[in-house]
Amino acid sequence: MICFIKKFAFIILLSLITFSCKEDQDNQGQQSRAENRKALGSSAEDLLSDDNYKSMTVEMVYSPAYRPTQQTLDGFTSFINARVNKPDGVSFIETIISDQNGPFSISQIRNIENEQRTIYTQGDDIAVYVYFASGNANSDTSTTVTLGSAYQNTSIVIYEKTLQEVTNNIQDDLTTLEATTLHHEFGHIFGLVNIQNDDIHPGDKHEDLDHQKHCIINDCLMYFEAQSITKDNLKARLQRLKALQNIPSFDLDFCIEDLQAKGGN
């Protein structure tokens, strides 16, 4: 009888230890995810500087038909490494999922992230999630389309289906528009333009007040047409991008100064 009681007590103790460990793991997971569910622009300094995070992991999520072009991915790697101060480096992870049914609201995009995101900020590594969507934005109209959106501190959606449609899947055009959109949305999680109302340039010297949170310089990466555009203006926009011969960059006098003020390059 005493032996049975000891065994029973041991089982209860083991169960309590197991439950406690699981509870600790769940709490750690929730805390980690909370770091990636903050307001847009609130992690700009963490992304750009090495003060709190020495490395970065970018998770790119897509279904097979909506993988960005290899040229876009190669250019994206160079773009990020040129802008952030991460002494332990930047890692890029690709996660393949099944097609999701669009068109999407931002609420639906958040739900997809909650289900499909696998990499979260931990330790001294800050994580970013980019979803190349298999559907359009539900805000699209017969005349206007949304190309991408940054919607949380480390969360971006690129409407890959829309990009493929408006470029007729012509690879050069697709890569140009795809890369411009991706870099532009990353600029928003970097805090551009004046996302947290902390721009070092006062008034309307940097921010386009007619298209808030975007740059006044029309050749800058953060010009508003890199995010949404009318279908009538799309062809002209592509021609202007091609004339630059490179993906637009951040304006040196405004955007770069803002990034450097937050610890970036």
Side-chain angles (χ1 to χ4, degrees):
M1 182 66 178
I2 294 175
C3 182
F4 172 76
I5 292 173
K6 287 182 177 179
K7 287 182 178 179
F8 184 67
F10 176 75
I11 291 171
I12 292 175
L13 179 60
L14 184 62
S15 297
L16 288 172
I17 292 172
T18 303
F19 176 76
S20 176
C21 290
K22 184 178 185 304
E23 191 176 55
D24 289 345
Q25 290 171 353
D26 289 345
N27 288 338
Q28 289 172 2
Q30 289 172 4
Q31 178 62 33
S32 176
R33 294 186 181 195
E35 290 298 315
N36 297 101
R37 291 174 177 164
K38 296 179 179 179
L40 179 62
S42 62
S43 294
E45 290 187 29
D46 288 337
L47 290 163
L48 288 161
S49 76
D50 64 352
D51 291 346
N52 296 318
Y53 299 99
K54 306 301 182 186
S55 64
M56 178 190 295
T57 300
V58 181
E59 181 180 19
M60 296 171 288
V61 178
Y62 54 82
S63 55
Y66 297 98
R67 183 181 190 269
T69 68
Q70 189 59 50
Q71 296 97 313
T72 293
L73 295 180
D74 293 343
F76 181 50
T77 299
S78 299
F79 167 77
I80 295 298
N81 282 312
R83 298 275 70 91
V84 303
N85 281 313
K86 298 300 175 192
D88 292 341
V90 182
S91 301
F92 297 86
I93 307 296
E94 297 183 34
T95 301
I96 302 174
I97 64 173
S98 60
D99 281 353
Q100 308 294 305
N101 294 322
F104 303 112
S105 65
I106 286 297
S107 177
Q108 289 170 311
I109 291 296
R110 290 178 192 267
N111 290 338
I112 292 170
E113 177 181 1
N114 292 339
E115 293 171 1
Q116 304 295 344
R117 182 171 184 164
T118 66
I119 308 294
Y120 291 89
T121 296
Q122 288 190 341
D124 63 358
D125 182 73
I126 188 167
V128 178
Y129 166 92
V130 184
Y131 174 45
F132 295 88
S134 55
N136 313 99
N138 70 351
S139 57
D140 288 356
T141 69
S142 59
T143 59
T144 305
V145 293
T146 298
L147 306 179
S149 180
Y151 57 94
Q152 286 182 155
N153 62 322
T154 62
S155 303
I156 292 170
V157 58
I158 305 299
Y159 292 103
E160 185 68 21
K161 185 174 190 290
T162 300
L163 293 173
Q164 291 183 8
E165 289 173 346
V166 298
T167 60
N168 295 315
N169 231 344
I170 298 171
Q171 289 300 289
D172 286 348
D173 290 351
L174 176 59
T175 296
T176 297
L177 206 56
E178 198 176 60
T180 301
T181 305
L182 179 57
H183 297 188
H184 176 95
E185 297 308 330
F186 232 91
H188 283 317
I189 67 172
F190 282 158
L192 298 172
V193 171
N194 202 26
I195 296 293
Q196 289 283 312
N197 298 315
D198 59 354
D199 197 318
I200 63 173
H201 304 93
D204 59 356
K205 288 187 176 180
H206 184 194
E207 184 179 8
D208 180 353
L209 299 184
D210 291 329
H211 303 95
Q212 293 184 350
K213 310 307 179 186
H214 292 92
C215 184
I216 60 170
I217 308 299
N218 62 8
D219 286 336
C220 177
L221 176 63
M222 299 312 296
Y223 192 62
F224 78 95
E225 283 188 343
Q227 183 172 40
S228 62
I229 192 169
T230 63
K231 293 179 180 178
D232 288 343
N233 290 341
L234 183 60
K235 188 173 182 179
R237 172 69 173 166
L238 271 171
Q239 291 302 319
R240 288 199 300 274
L241 291 174
K242 287 180 179 179
L244 293 173
Q245 296 184 333
N246 286 302
I247 303 305
S249 56
F250 294 120
D251 177 77
L252 291 174
D253 294 329
F254 297 115
C255 288
I256 289 293
E257 287 186 357
D258 276 356
L259 297 183
Q260 290 173 340
K262 292 181 169 68
N265 296 319

